[in-house]
Amino acid sequence: FECQHLIEPPEPILQAGHARMMEYLRKLWRGFTTMRMVLTSLGMGSVEFDFSQPELQGLVELRLDKNDLKNLPEPISELPVLLSLRFRDNQVVNLHDCFSKLTSLQELDISKNRFIAIPAAVLALTQLQRLRVTNNPIPYTMPNDWIENGPKMTVGGTSATQTAVGHSAKDSEKTQFQMDAFHQIENE
């Protein structure tokens, strides 16, 4: 494979020694050749790729689980055919609004991070079929603003619309029904 835009690996990879460097390069090579980039358990701390390079425009899967990431680089949102994005078990607290441009995305796994609400960018992901948010500090009793900056969320054809404005019994029942639907989607 040929990649003219490969940049120096993240510092934690360089410091981890020869074996970790070889694992990183092997996973990169596999990702470039299969269009399924699985860079898990590397402890990278950051992701520093030029995702706009032609060699990555066909990427359909990106897994960044267990890498001590605090945020995701915005250029990931430029991957036009990305179907699956997973970054479980990191330290991410929010997704930038540009992630709403991932219109082909069908699976998003943000489990085991530090989200306190469903990211607003998720609301625009019209093709999303599977959303996993478990083990985040999202409250179990959701307030009216449990979805950032917006009152509606539809995932995989199942509506989990938050419309409650007051705190009446009717609103509480509606919110509980929506949460049940949400957890059903989440646990599939």
Side-chain angles (χ1 to χ4, degrees):
F1 89 101
E2 183 178 322
C3 179
Q4 300 171 0
H5 306 284
L6 192 60
I7 61 173
E8 188 171 295
E11 190 64 30
I13 298 290
L14 292 173
Q15 292 177 356
H18 178 72
R20 179 66 55 91
M21 176 64 77
M22 293 307 294
E23 179 184 10
Y24 174 77
L25 291 173
R26 196 170 28 258
K27 287 181 175 189
L28 274 182
W29 178 80
R30 207 174 295 136
F32 275 103
T33 57
T34 65
M35 291 295 108
R36 296 182 182 282
M37 187 79 62
V38 181
L39 299 172
T40 58
S41 303
L42 291 169
M44 295 188 296
S46 65
V47 179
E48 300 173 17
F49 294 117
D50 178 6
F51 287 100
S52 66
Q53 59 185 296
E55 296 89 353
L56 289 176
Q57 292 303 294
L59 198 65
V60 294
E61 180 178 11
L62 180 59
R63 291 186 184 184
L64 299 168
D65 304 344
K66 299 181 181 179
N67 276 303
D68 300 322
L69 302 176
K70 292 184 179 38
N71 56 49
L72 291 178
E74 293 179 21
I76 290 175
S77 68
E78 301 297 327
L79 296 170
V81 296
L82 190 65
L83 300 175
S84 176
L85 175 60
R86 291 180 45 177
F87 53 98
R88 300 172 52 96
D89 208 357
N90 283 290
Q91 301 172 31
V92 180
V93 297
N94 199 2
L95 286 179
H96 192 275
D97 288 341
C98 66
F99 281 87
S100 63
K101 294 191 289 186
L102 291 171
T103 56
S104 297
L105 200 65
Q106 296 176 5
E107 177 183 19
L108 178 62
D109 189 343
I110 60 176
S111 299
K112 296 184 179 181
N113 277 280
R114 296 188 177 166
F115 291 96
I116 60 170
I118 305 298
V122 172
L123 302 175
L125 301 175
T126 58
Q127 298 300 309
L128 195 64
Q129 296 174 16
R130 176 171 282 164
L131 172 64
R132 292 191 174 144
V133 299
T134 58
N135 295 312
N136 278 288
I138 298 172
Y140 285 105
T141 54
M142 297 293 191
N144 290 339
D145 61 349
W146 66 284
I147 299 176
E148 293 179 294
N149 304 321
K152 293 185 177 182
M153 180 177 76
T154 303
V155 180
T158 302
S159 179
T161 306
Q162 173 69 15
T163 56
V165 187
H167 298 286
S168 69
K170 182 179 177 184
D171 290 337
S172 296
E173 289 171 15
K174 188 183 297 183
T175 302
Q176 183 59 49
F177 169 76
Q178 293 157 357
M179 286 307 300
D180 290 345
F182 179 72
H183 285 296
Q184 178 182 4
I185 293 165
E186 177 183 285
N187 293 322
E188 287 183 352

